[in-house]
Amino acid sequence: MSDDLLPIRGAPASPYTRKMLALLRYRRIPYRYIQGLNASASELPQPKVSLIPVLYFRDGSGSLQPEVDSTPIIRRLEREYPGRSVLPQDPVTAFIDYLIEDYGDEWLTKAMFHYRWYYQDDIDMAGSILPHYADVSRPDEEMSAARRQFSERQISRLYVVGSNDTTAPVIEGSYKRFLGLLNDHLKLHPYLLGARPGAGDFACFGQLTQLVQFDPTPSRVAIESFPRVHAWVSKMEDLSGLEPSEDGFFTGSEVPDTVRQLLREIGRTYVPVMLANARALDQGFEQVETTVEGLPWVQKPFPYQAKCLQWLRAEYVRLGDAEREQIDDLIRGTGCEVLFARAES
Ligand SMILES: N[C@@H](CCC(=O)N[C@@H](CS)C(=O)NCC(=O)O)C(=O)O
């Protein structure tokens, strides 16, 4: 009965849709996947903010209400569907998972959007394939107009993620280092936080479905240098057959050095940009300006990422004293500690 199936609306080229589909499969939550950007083609209501994926939950009267934003949706699914959790129970591990999830969603996505709409090969591929996802039967003439419109619209939005000629080397350097760090980690552990996947794995996976499996420039990097990561992405797609053990996640004291190296990478790139973005918004600046790895970073302020910083800080404040000390030990010297410098004092 389709009534029992959780509706999710999204598209194959949307990294957050892929994040949520893989998570639903792993969690064995029965769903129906409605493909398309617009609710108008289905009987489902449109959310207030026009983003995908949209998940639909029944309210008290039984009607379906749209929800967007994968991070809170994951928490809601945890409350409503028990078992096969993607949130570690150990608060220290859970905090690291949250930080990695945020990094995947908010920083890796810069690489995803940048590569897709910056290089001609990538623009050509995405521009010619993506518009077909709305309807594969539309005539070729219509599709070539759609291709132009769609590509122009997306290229004009590169600024939103901070992709420009100044930031291109920073974004690309960070993508390549991330692949290298994930590769090192996967030599020892199948998932970022142990023997079972956390929300952070799904966030990184979502972006990597595009970066290593679709767009030609970044996928070449993965195919040539990181076949292990390429294989990981394919495996993550459907973990419905994995039988996770209760103690599959690392405890806070077991978090390995390879994860600490990833935190260092987060501290070198996402953290300075997140802080500069929040500062620019606080002070009403037109531009975010900072340096990342000694290279300049300029972009327009992005209000959503200032909220991400507040949410991260709220997670930190919520920790008990002993756990916060453990986190402080883990992140000391990674560059992530400055995120919480004020909250600490
Ligand atoms: N924070 C949101 C981000 C979702 C998002 O940015 N979705 C993109 C597609 S991957 C989108 O709908 N963009 C608007 C558009 O393309 O019109 C989440 O985690 O779900």
Side-chain angles (χ1 to χ4, degrees):
M1 251 297 271
S2 77
D3 261 10
D4 302 331
L5 302 173
L6 182 72
I8 169 171
R9 188 160 54 74
S14 151
Y16 304 95
T17 300
R18 304 287 292 273
K19 171 188 180 186
M20 292 311 294
L21 286 172
L23 181 132
L24 293 171
R25 288 187 205 105
Y26 168 61
R27 297 217 48 222
R28 298 184 182 156
I29 297 173
Y31 63 87
R32 57 185 168 111
Y33 177 25
I34 300 112
Q35 300 197 26
L37 300 184
N38 273 308
S40 53
S42 64
E43 80 287 11
L44 297 166
Q46 187 73 23
K48 283 193 206 82
V49 188
S50 188
L51 287 175
I52 51 170
V54 189
L55 277 85
Y56 293 88
F57 293 91
R58 291 209 183 273
D59 63 13
S61 67
S63 61
L64 288 168
Q65 299 299 334
E67 263 212 45
V68 293
D69 206 352
S70 56
T71 301
I73 291 174
I74 288 174
R75 277 73 196 166
R76 178 166 184 173
L77 292 171
E78 292 276 327
R79 293 193 295 273
E80 298 189 6
Y81 298 83
R84 300 176 70 83
S85 173
V86 296
L87 303 180
Q89 277 186 351
D90 183 310
V92 173
T93 316
F95 183 82
I96 302 294
D97 180 54
Y98 188 87
L99 184 55
I100 296 175
E101 182 184 2
D102 194 48
Y103 171 79
D105 285 347
E106 304 301 326
W107 181 265
L108 269 188
T109 201
K110 294 184 189 301
M112 188 259 128
F113 206 78
H114 161 77
Y115 277 115
R116 176 165 293 172
W117 302 112
Y118 192 72
Y119 290 110
Q120 199 57 48
D121 275 1
D122 303 75
I123 294 170
D124 288 345
M125 180 159 165
S128 59
I129 295 177
L130 268 48
H132 284 94
Y133 289 146
D135 177 358
V136 288
S137 302
R138 273 162 73 193
D140 286 349
E141 311 78 70
E142 258 183 51
M143 290 322 289
S144 69
R147 168 188 184 155
R148 211 177 33 254
Q149 271 173 13
F150 188 76
S151 304
E152 280 167 10
R153 169 177 177 263
Q154 297 298 76
I155 293 165
S156 76
R157 292 164 75 204
L158 274 171
Y159 79 90
V160 176
V161 298
S163 156
N164 52 56
D165 293 341
T166 306
T167 59
V170 176
I171 295 174
E172 294 179 18
S174 115
Y175 167 63
K176 290 171 191 163
R177 285 194 305 274
F178 172 74
L179 290 185
L181 293 166
L182 180 56
N183 187 58
D184 289 346
H185 177 80
L186 293 176
K187 287 179 192 170
L188 304 167
H189 307 281
Y191 306 104
L192 287 165
L193 293 172
R196 58 187 290 172
D201 290 272
F202 289 99
C204 296
F205 158 80
Q207 303 298 327
L208 291 176
T209 57
Q210 310 302 308
L211 283 158
V212 317
Q213 291 183 330
F214 187 90
D215 301 290
T217 304
S219 61
R220 207 173 302 125
V221 180
I223 293 163
E224 285 170 7
S225 307
F226 303 107
R228 174 180 287 105
V229 173
H230 197 282
W232 182 78
V233 177
S234 298
K235 290 184 64 149
M236 281 288 299
E237 182 94 53
D238 190 340
L239 293 177
S240 56
L242 182 77
E243 300 296 347
S245 70
E246 276 305 312
D247 57 357
F249 286 121
F250 301 133
T251 61
S253 53
E254 287 167 351
V255 173
D257 189 56
T258 46
V259 169
R260 216 173 157 272
Q261 295 306 322
L262 177 58
L263 297 177
R264 275 190 64 212
E265 176 58 27
I266 297 174
R268 287 156 78 170
T269 53
Y270 182 37
V271 168
V273 172
M274 190 164 28
L275 289 175
N277 181 61
R279 223 166 20 243
L281 284 161
D282 270 356
Q283 302 183 9
F285 297 153
E286 297 276 297
Q287 283 274 65
V288 178
E289 287 187 33
T290 186
T291 54
V292 177
E293 294 284 281
L295 295 171
W297 182 278
V298 287
Q299 78 166 98
K300 268 205 161 333
F302 191 179
Y304 182 80
Q305 285 188 352
K307 283 201 209 155
C308 292
L309 175 58
Q310 286 171 7
W311 291 327
L312 261 174
R313 286 180 169 156
E315 293 288 321
Y316 181 83
V317 169
R318 202 172 305 143
L319 290 164
D321 288 347
E323 294 146 0
R324 201 174 309 114
E325 264 174 44
Q326 230 182 319
I327 288 290
D328 289 344
D329 285 344
L330 261 171
I331 65 177
R332 187 169 299 120
T334 62
C336 293
E337 68 275 25
V338 295
L339 288 175
F340 312 110
R342 244 187 303 164
E344 249 180 304
S345 61

